[in-house]
Amino acid sequence: MRAKVNIDIANTEKLVGKGVKDSKKTMSQLIGVFKDEEAFKAADQDQVVYEVQAYMPVEEGKKGGLFWGNSMVYPGKVGTEYHMTRGHFHSNLDTGEYYWCLKGEGALIMMDLDRNCWYEEMKPGTLHYIPGNVSHRVANTGYEPLFFNACWPSDAGHDYASIEKEGFAARLFEVDGKPQLIKE
Ligand code: F6R
Ligand code: ZN
């Protein structure tokens, strides 16, 4: 799948084995992420929901560097909720991030510290600025894999625990064939 989007990183050889982190999230690793628990239980637990390849040329936590990620979310739904990433705040809360969409259709769902939620449509070529203090996750709202890139500061860090505990204040469901953000 990934081969369909060709990305040539000039210094890949320097990074391989050192600064490249590949991760895959299967459904079984996403307990508590989706609203419909029955639909979650009925889903194939071994299916890969999303993959990330992260390029980290400096040590994580070091100030001044930039990390780059290549993410892919497979299409599908759990009940009527679209496949999506877990989502996180950055541990260093006021650090921002850019996402940009390469292929597919999706939604970047964001939530600020007051738990206001909104989303931006993602389609090939869209660029999204995620301000600091804003949690972010991506849903695939289409029928093909959604590819997007990300760039974030090397000292941002990831806080997944807050989202695991409190969740997002709204979720993206398919309603009448279209995405709709519904408050919890
Ligand atoms: C990095 C970033 C992305 C995500 C990736 C997977 O700060 O926002 O690279 O890490 O899209 O999503 P999560 O990390 O929420 O599982
Ligand atoms: Zn992030």
Side-chain angles (χ1 to χ4, degrees):
M1 287 292 190
R2 201 181 294 282
K4 282 189 188 163
V5 174
N6 293 316
I7 296 159
D8 291 322
I9 297 176
N11 58 355
T12 309
E13 327 74 57
K14 288 191 198 146
L15 296 173
V16 166
K18 181 169 136 204
V20 180
K21 219 162 87 181
D22 269 306
S23 67
K24 272 187 191 172
K25 289 282 172 239
T26 58
M27 193 62 87
S28 62
Q29 294 170 293
L30 299 174
I31 296 170
V33 169
F34 299 98
K35 173 93 175 171
D36 185 337
E37 287 174 19
E38 290 307 310
F40 178 79
K41 278 189 215 144
D44 170 5
Q45 297 296 307
D46 295 329
Q47 68 179 297
V48 177
V49 178
Y50 65 96
E51 297 182 27
V52 186
Q53 196 175 36
Y55 291 80
M56 305 170 123
V58 300
E59 211 180 299
E60 189 153 25
K62 190 177 180 342
K63 219 177 156 155
L66 290 172
F67 292 157
W68 184 88
N70 186 23
S71 298
M72 196 252 281
V73 185
Y74 286 95
K77 290 190 288 278
V78 175
T80 56
E81 189 173 16
Y82 299 102
H83 278 184
M84 62 181 174
T85 60
R86 285 180 295 168
H88 57 265
F89 281 101
H90 290 161
S91 314
N92 197 351
L93 261 176
D94 63 358
T95 51
E97 181 162 2
Y98 276 115
Y99 275 9
W100 62 101
C101 181
L102 299 165
K103 200 167 191 290
E105 276 173 65
L108 165 59
I109 305 163
M110 291 179 271
M111 180 176 74
D112 66 19
L113 294 173
D114 294 324
R115 300 187 58 75
N116 297 306
C117 277
W118 68 99
Y119 77 94
E120 292 177 5
E121 265 180 56
M122 299 173 85
K123 53 188 178 190
T126 57
L127 176 69
H128 308 268
Y129 178 63
I130 302 163
N133 301 301
V134 167
S135 60
H136 40 286
R137 73 165 20 143
V138 167
N140 184 337
T141 57
Y143 298 95
E144 53 172 316
L146 169 70
F147 293 85
F148 65 97
N149 287 156
C151 186
W152 68 101
S154 50
D155 64 338
H158 294 96
D159 166 19
Y160 293 102
S162 310
I163 298 301
E164 270 165 30
K165 208 164 142 225
E166 314 276 352
F168 273 63
R171 294 172 172 277
L172 199 67
F173 295 100
E174 185 179 79
V175 180
D176 297 331
K178 286 190 302 238
Q180 196 175 320
L181 194 66
I182 298 180
K183 279 193 187 161
E184 286 280 86

